[in-house]
Amino acid sequence: MVAIANSCPINSFGEKMSKVEVNKKNKRLALLDNAYSLFIEKGFNNTTISDIVNRAGVAKGTFYLYFKDKFDLRNEIVARKSIEILLKAEENMKSSGTEPKTLEEGIAAFSDAILECFRNNRLQLNFISKNLSWGVFSHIAESNFSNEKDREEINNVYNNFLAVLDENNYKCADPKILLFTIIEFINSTGYSAIVGDAPCSLDKYKPYLHKGIESLFKAYKI
Amino acid sequence: MVAIANSCPINSFGEKMSKVEVNKKNKRLALLDNAYSLFIEKGFNNTTISDIVNRAGVAKGTFYLYFKDKFDLRNEIVARKSIEILLKAEENMKSSGTEPKTLEEGIAAFSDAILECFRNNRLQLNFISKNLSWGVFSHIAESNFSNEKDREEINNVYNNFLAVLDENNYKCADPKILLFTIIEFINSTGYSAIVGDAPCSLDKYKPYLHKGIESLFKAYKI
Amino acid sequence: MVAIANSCPINSFGEKMSKVEVNKKNKRLALLDNAYSLFIEKGFNNTTISDIVNRAGVAKGTFYLYFKDKFDLRNEIVARKSIEILLKAEENMKSSGTEPKTLEEGIAAFSDAILECFRNNRLQLNFISKNLSWGVFSHIAESNFSNEKDREEINNVYNNFLAVLDENNYKCADPKILLFTIIEFINSTGYSAIVGDAPCSLDKYKPYLHKGIESLFKAYKI
Amino acid sequence: MVAIANSCPINSFGEKMSKVEVNKKNKRLALLDNAYSLFIEKGFNNTTISDIVNRAGVAKGTFYLYFKDKFDLRNEIVARKSIEILLKAEENMKSSGTEPKTLEEGIAAFSDAILECFRNNRLQLNFISKNLSWGVFSHIAESNFSNEKDREEINNVYNNFLAVLDENNYKCADPKILLFTIIEFINSTGYSAIVGDAPCSLDKYKPYLHKGIESLFKAYKI
DNA sequence: TATGAATGAGTTTTCATTCAT
DNA sequence: GATGAATGAAAACTCATTCAT
């Protein structure tokens, strides 16, 4: 069972959370965390609600107090995990070298961070990969389930990206389309290479991937 | 119910097929065709074996004479449909213009053919898209379910591609990786644009797609 | 949500009710009223305690402070509503014509009042009809849930009936049995005609109903 | 478990039934019979499908091969049992005395047969009574579940009734409405008297019942 | 080969009731 | 008294798979 922890009992209005509020938040997190681990262990279709509540240590009925059904739960997990991965990748892009570096180096660091994330957790890849795409952004931006914090983080991801372009004096017609194209490119080719070793191993493919991304940047530059 | 038809009762050894052989082949085809239509109508998970046999007009038990289970059936369908689409795309690439044309024009025609295939059948896209990838090729090449004919067709797809490169004096280190990268690129970005209109409509995205593919070709050229 | 109102805060001992007492009475009424509206909207079996407390605007646990369970609640509702309908019917019987009228005319007015009550609210009919019977009287007379006021009203219904017979010099062996027979007769045939249009519409059936009641009165006359 | 018996394996087309056909018919009957006994023992709402299949000795899924749900099953049972009771009552009406008897005597025998049926099985009464009404006739007449035989038997009930009227030279405007009125009258007052002893015991009430029916016959006579 | 009735484990979902706050 | 989060037993229904015919 994934540990329940809540170091900062402050609710979204900045007020101190009541014991009940804290408890509810923990139950919700317990469900999310344990469902996630089950999804990547057994796959979404093979995970039952019974599995989830058992591992989370709550009663069956409790599940339905927090989520409409298994799909509702999945949507939230995919969104949260995708943001996590992207933030990590951006972090990597900015900090990979201490001294000033070219845009190309930054992009390579960005894509490698995503790929390593997946490689380190092949199981996670199967669950997230095909969902880590532009759709995630719109989903969170519009969903009334996602809280303010989630939305903020998405904007962070995008703004970070813009900042990096700016620092490198890179200009293009539509940065959104550029980011979208890059993410889809990394994700789709990386998936095949990691999961299927097709058409070759990830290590063999990486140079092609970097070269490909570089060329896309050039192609969309004004 | 999709009609069962077999205009050419010749088996894979080139012999005239017996009535029994023809019958068996028809049953198999009926299952494949009707399962396909159900998968794109209701989705794979929501289609039951009962649904399939009902629509195919055969008994439940008969299903298990031809396929191990629903997954076995799906694999074969994805493979067949993917090849169909790729062949059509290559046909388009070669014949789009009558007079000699550049490689870039050919590639654009190739990718557009795939995208139009999907746009014309959004439902099919949901089922095939994420499976139309390099994995398909290996699957068919190795599967003991797929017959000689399927394998031949795959080689055709690849050989056609090589021929086009050759005609245009295009040389690269590994044509397989090039083809793989292109297919994944079209498929992943096209899916998002068609299904989700994200980050923009397909029509708005197409120029970016063409430019992207062109740049990839250049990047991998020796 | 049905409005909670209590214009006359006097308790059953004639004393002015405390704020707490008023509050409790209002909660109870809110539960009764909203449960009733739900029962006729969705049926008894399809109404949950959650539905009731939600609409009544009280907490789940509060329900159990006032009623043992859903059945307890239903019994009280049926009794209250039945009395309401009967009183209305008697009122109609007495006041339908201003000048002196025959017993037959009075009885017709009585039965029509009940039928119109139901016709105006087909939904109510489904819930009440099969319960509007002699059993109701005994239930209230004996129940320790029902208060003094309810019991009084039942006696009123019966005494009114006796008075009408008396005014018309009608004598029979057992007026209770007569009233019982008449009520069951109206209720059972009326239900079928209104709900099922079987064997004919209520309007077509009414003359038969009146003739039937008239004949029953004659049959039981001494 | 109610015994499965089938003495005459002839299907509705007059053909000899195959072993499979016989088996299916027996399964269906086992479900009907055992569900019925459970309904009158525990009530409809308190009987689960598990209860039914356990007692019938078939698997859970088998239930759904024969009935849509519990309500579908109930409808068929009510219809069958109602016809049974009515046929028995008519039999009694015709044969109660060997010598020629008056219509009044016949009617009394008819109503007494229904009442005795219920009295002998108070439990059955709770389940059937409120459903033994005109609605049953229309239900069966229209239902596509009921077979030809059921429909025939209903016509028998009605034709028998007409025959008895004819033998006694009784004429009325609408025999259907007469039969409807009588059945509802017996059923509603009898229910109260048997189940609730309200307003008095059945034995005490019977003379009133007979007198009431007699008066209704007179009232509707032309 | 082909059938389709039968199976029953497995899954989702509901909801009356409790009880700590 | 009032609350409402939590419970978990219980119910309906599904469906892949088998096997006697």
Side-chain angles (χ1 to χ4, degrees):
Chain A
M1 192 192 306
V2 171
I4 298 174
N6 193 1
S7 54
C8 176
I10 302 289
N11 69 14
S12 57
F13 302 105
E15 301 155 1
K16 209 174 136 225
M17 285 168 79
S18 75
K19 210 167 176 181
V20 172
E21 271 187 291
V22 172
N23 228 310
K24 280 174 68 175
K25 185 155 192 181
N26 283 343
K27 282 252 163 71
R28 198 165 204 287
L29 280 176
L31 285 167
L32 283 165
D33 287 344
N34 290 290
Y36 174 65
S37 69
L38 281 163
F39 288 165
I40 63 179
E41 272 172 37
K42 314 172 49 170
F44 177 74
N45 283 317
N46 300 318
T47 300
T48 70
I49 294 190
S50 278
D51 292 337
I52 297 169
V53 294
N54 285 341
R55 195 177 278 198
V58 301
K60 193 86 74 56
T62 305
F63 179 92
Y64 294 93
L65 294 177
Y66 294 100
F67 302 98
K68 202 181 131 290
D69 52 26
K70 228 171 53 169
F71 300 97
D72 185 24
L73 175 63
R74 179 185 61 183
N75 287 344
E76 182 154 345
I77 290 177
V78 170
R80 281 167 180 260
K81 291 294 164 184
S82 300
I83 293 177
E84 254 177 44
I85 292 172
L86 287 176
L87 283 175
K88 206 166 166 182
E90 290 196 325
E91 193 56 37
N92 212 48
M93 174 165 67
K94 284 195 281 187
S95 67
S96 66
T98 47
E99 67 289 13
K101 60 175 181 302
T102 66
L103 182 59
E104 282 74 24
E105 284 167 350
I107 295 301
F110 177 79
S111 59
D112 284 357
I114 293 177
L115 291 174
E116 290 314 311
C117 242
F118 286 153
R119 173 139 66 181
N120 291 336
N121 194 348
R122 263 172 176 259
L123 297 168
Q124 167 175 275
L125 178 57
N126 259 316
F127 179 59
I128 299 291
S129 171
K130 294 295 180 184
N131 298 293
L132 171 58
S133 72
W134 204 255
V136 169
F137 291 82
S138 10
H139 174 79
I140 295 186
E142 293 157 12
S143 169
N144 38 5
F145 291 114
S146 52
N147 54 36
E148 197 48 44
K149 218 165 147 194
D150 285 342
R151 264 189 285 271
E152 260 178 53
E153 281 183 339
I154 280 196
N155 286 332
N156 278 346
V157 169
Y158 185 55
N159 290 331
N160 284 342
F161 181 75
L162 291 182
V164 170
L165 295 186
D166 203 48
E167 284 167 25
N168 289 277
N169 293 318
Y170 180 91
K171 295 226 185 317
C172 67
D174 193 333
K176 247 184 198 152
I177 286 182
L178 174 62
L179 181 55
F180 159 77
T181 305
I182 299 297
I183 289 177
E184 292 292 348
F185 186 72
I186 296 170
N187 196 37
S188 62
T189 57
Y191 178 88
S192 220
I194 293 175
V195 170
D197 255 353
C200 61
S201 74
L202 178 60
D203 286 323
K204 202 185 150 198
Y205 188 69
K206 258 192 184 172
Y208 291 93
L209 183 71
H210 290 159
K211 222 187 287 181
I213 294 175
E214 210 184 303
S215 80
L216 289 171
F217 264 88
K218 276 187 199 145
Y220 293 169
K221 194 174 189 175
I222 301 181
Chain B
M1 190 192 307
V2 171
I4 300 175
N6 194 2
S7 56
C8 176
I10 302 289
N11 69 15
S12 57
F13 303 104
E15 301 157 358
K16 206 170 141 233
M17 287 166 78
S18 75
K19 218 167 178 177
V20 173
E21 270 187 295
V22 172
N23 226 312
K24 279 176 64 178
K25 184 151 193 187
N26 282 345
K27 285 243 167 77
R28 198 166 203 287
L29 278 176
L31 285 168
L32 284 165
D33 287 344
N34 290 290
Y36 174 67
S37 68
L38 281 164
F39 289 165
I40 63 179
E41 271 172 37
K42 313 171 51 169
F44 178 73
N45 282 318
N46 299 319
T47 300
T48 68
I49 292 186
S50 272
D51 292 337
I52 298 169
V53 294
N54 283 341
R55 197 178 276 197
V58 302
K60 266 244 194 76
T62 306
F63 180 92
Y64 294 92
L65 297 175
Y66 293 102
F67 302 97
K68 201 181 132 287
D69 53 26
K70 224 171 56 167
F71 300 96
D72 185 22
L73 174 63
R74 179 185 61 182
N75 287 343
E76 182 155 346
I77 290 177
V78 170
R80 281 167 179 262
K81 290 294 164 185
S82 301
I83 293 176
E84 255 177 43
I85 293 171
L86 287 176
L87 283 175
K88 204 167 169 183
E90 290 195 326
E91 193 56 37
N92 212 49
M93 176 165 64
K94 285 194 282 187
S95 67
S96 64
T98 47
E99 67 292 12
K101 60 175 182 299
T102 64
L103 182 58
E104 283 74 24
E105 285 167 349
I107 295 300
F110 176 80
S111 60
D112 285 357
I114 293 178
L115 292 174
E116 290 314 310
C117 239
F118 286 152
R119 174 141 65 179
N120 291 336
N121 194 347
R122 265 171 175 261
L123 297 168
Q124 166 175 273
L125 179 57
N126 261 316
F127 179 59
I128 298 291
S129 172
K130 295 293 180 185
N131 298 293
L132 171 57
S133 72
W134 205 254
V136 169
F137 292 82
S138 9
H139 174 80
I140 294 185
E142 294 156 11
S143 171
N144 39 1
F145 292 113
S146 50
N147 53 37
E148 197 49 42
K149 217 164 147 195
D150 285 342
R151 263 188 288 272
E152 260 177 55
E153 280 184 339
I154 279 195
N155 286 331
N156 279 346
V157 169
Y158 185 54
N159 290 330
N160 283 343
F161 182 75
L162 291 182
V164 171
L165 296 185
D166 202 48
E167 284 168 25
N168 288 277
N169 293 316
Y170 180 92
K171 295 229 185 315
C172 67
D174 192 334
K176 244 184 200 153
I177 287 182
L178 174 62
L179 181 55
F180 158 78
T181 304
I182 299 296
I183 289 178
E184 292 291 347
F185 186 72
I186 296 171
N187 195 35
S188 62
T189 57
Y191 179 88
S192 218
I194 293 175
V195 170
D197 254 353
C200 61
S201 73
L202 179 60
D203 286 323
K204 203 187 150 198
Y205 189 68
K206 260 192 185 173
Y208 290 93
L209 184 71
H210 290 160
K211 222 187 287 180
I213 293 176
E214 207 184 305
S215 80
L216 289 171
F217 263 88
K218 276 187 197 145
Y220 293 169
K221 193 174 189 176
I222 301 180
Chain C
M1 192 192 306
V2 170
I4 299 176
N6 193 359
S7 55
C8 177
I10 301 290
N11 70 14
S12 57
F13 303 104
E15 301 156 358
K16 204 168 141 234
M17 287 166 80
S18 75
K19 218 167 177 175
V20 173
E21 269 187 295
V22 173
N23 226 310
K24 280 175 64 178
K25 184 151 194 186
N26 282 344
K27 286 243 167 74
R28 198 167 204 286
L29 278 176
L31 285 168
L32 283 166
D33 286 345
N34 290 290
Y36 174 66
S37 68
L38 282 163
F39 289 165
I40 63 179
E41 272 172 37
K42 315 171 50 171
F44 177 73
N45 282 318
N46 299 318
T47 299
T48 69
I49 291 187
S50 273
D51 292 335
I52 297 169
V53 295
N54 284 341
R55 197 178 277 198
V58 301
K60 264 242 197 81
T62 307
F63 180 93
Y64 294 93
L65 298 175
Y66 294 101
F67 301 98
K68 200 180 134 289
D69 54 25
K70 223 171 54 168
F71 300 96
D72 186 22
L73 175 63
R74 178 185 62 181
N75 286 344
E76 182 155 344
I77 291 176
V78 170
R80 280 167 180 264
K81 289 294 166 186
S82 301
I83 293 176
E84 255 178 42
I85 292 171
L86 287 177
L87 282 175
K88 206 166 168 185
E90 290 196 325
E91 193 56 39
N92 212 48
M93 175 166 65
K94 284 194 281 188
S95 66
S96 63
T98 47
E99 66 293 9
K101 62 175 180 301
T102 64
L103 182 60
E104 282 74 25
E105 284 167 351
I107 295 300
F110 175 80
S111 59
D112 285 357
I114 293 176
L115 292 173
E116 289 314 310
C117 240
F118 286 152
R119 174 140 65 180
N120 291 337
N121 194 348
R122 263 169 176 262
L123 297 168
Q124 166 175 273
L125 180 57
N126 262 315
F127 179 59
I128 299 291
S129 173
K130 294 293 181 185
N131 298 292
L132 171 58
S133 72
W134 204 254
V136 168
F137 291 81
S138 8
H139 174 79
I140 295 185
E142 293 156 11
S143 170
N144 39 2
F145 291 115
S146 51
N147 54 35
E148 196 50 41
K149 217 164 147 195
D150 285 342
R151 262 189 287 272
E152 258 178 55
E153 281 183 339
I154 280 196
N155 285 332
N156 278 347
V157 169
Y158 186 53
N159 289 331
N160 283 344
F161 181 73
L162 291 182
V164 171
L165 294 187
D166 203 48
E167 283 168 25
N168 287 276
N169 293 317
Y170 180 92
K171 295 227 184 318
C172 67
D174 193 333
K176 246 182 197 153
I177 287 182
L178 174 63
L179 181 56
F180 159 77
T181 304
I182 299 297
I183 289 176
E184 292 292 349
F185 186 72
I186 296 170
N187 195 37
S188 61
T189 57
Y191 179 89
S192 219
I194 293 175
V195 170
D197 253 353
C200 61
S201 74
L202 179 59
D203 287 322
K204 203 187 148 197
Y205 189 68
K206 260 194 184 172
Y208 291 93
L209 183 70
H210 290 159
K211 222 189 288 182
I213 293 175
E214 208 185 304
S215 80
L216 289 171
F217 263 90
K218 275 187 200 147
Y220 293 170
K221 194 175 189 177
I222 300 180
Chain D
M1 193 192 304
V2 172
I4 299 173
N6 194 2
S7 54
C8 175
I10 301 290
N11 70 13
S12 58
F13 302 104
E15 300 155 1
K16 208 170 137 229
M17 287 167 78
S18 76
K19 211 166 173 181
V20 172
E21 270 187 292
V22 173
N23 229 310
K24 280 175 69 176
K25 186 155 193 182
N26 283 342
K27 282 252 164 70
R28 199 166 205 287
L29 279 177
L31 285 167
L32 284 165
D33 287 344
N34 291 290
Y36 174 66
S37 68
L38 281 162
F39 288 166
I40 62 179
E41 271 172 39
K42 313 173 50 170
F44 177 73
N45 282 317
N46 300 317
T47 299
T48 70
I49 292 188
S50 277
D51 291 337
I52 297 169
V53 294
N54 284 342
R55 196 177 277 197
V58 302
K60 190 89 73 57
T62 305
F63 179 92
Y64 295 93
L65 295 177
Y66 293 100
F67 302 98
K68 202 183 131 287
D69 52 26
K70 226 171 53 168
F71 300 97
D72 186 23
L73 175 62
R74 180 185 60 182
N75 287 344
E76 182 155 343
I77 290 177
V78 170
R80 281 167 179 260
K81 290 294 166 184
S82 300
I83 293 177
E84 254 177 43
I85 292 172
L86 287 176
L87 282 174
K88 205 167 168 184
E90 290 195 326
E91 194 55 40
N92 213 47
M93 175 165 65
K94 285 195 280 186
S95 65
S96 63
T98 47
E99 66 289 14
K101 60 176 181 300
T102 65
L103 183 59
E104 281 75 25
E105 284 166 351
I107 295 302
F110 176 80
S111 60
D112 285 357
I114 293 177
L115 292 174
E116 290 314 309
C117 240
F118 286 153
R119 174 141 64 181
N120 291 335
N121 195 346
R122 265 172 175 260
L123 297 167
Q124 166 175 274
L125 179 57
N126 260 315
F127 179 59
I128 300 290
S129 173
K130 294 296 180 184
N131 297 294
L132 170 58
S133 72
W134 204 253
V136 169
F137 291 80
S138 12
H139 174 79
I140 295 185
E142 293 156 11
S143 170
N144 38 5
F145 291 115
S146 51
N147 53 36
E148 198 49 44
K149 219 165 144 195
D150 285 342
R151 265 189 285 271
E152 259 177 54
E153 281 184 338
I154 280 196
N155 285 333
N156 279 347
V157 169
Y158 185 55
N159 290 331
N160 283 342
F161 181 75
L162 291 182
V164 170
L165 295 186
D166 202 47
E167 284 168 25
N168 289 277
N169 293 315
Y170 180 91
K171 295 225 184 318
C172 66
D174 193 334
K176 246 184 197 152
I177 286 182
L178 175 63
L179 181 55
F180 160 76
T181 305
I182 299 297
I183 287 177
E184 292 291 349
F185 186 72
I186 296 170
N187 196 36
S188 62
T189 58
Y191 179 87
S192 220
I194 292 175
V195 169
D197 254 354
C200 61
S201 73
L202 178 61
D203 286 322
K204 201 185 153 200
Y205 188 68
K206 258 192 185 174
Y208 291 93
L209 183 70
H210 290 159
K211 223 187 287 181
I213 294 175
E214 208 185 303
S215 79
L216 290 170
F217 263 88
K218 276 188 199 145
Y220 293 169
K221 193 173 190 175
I222 302 180

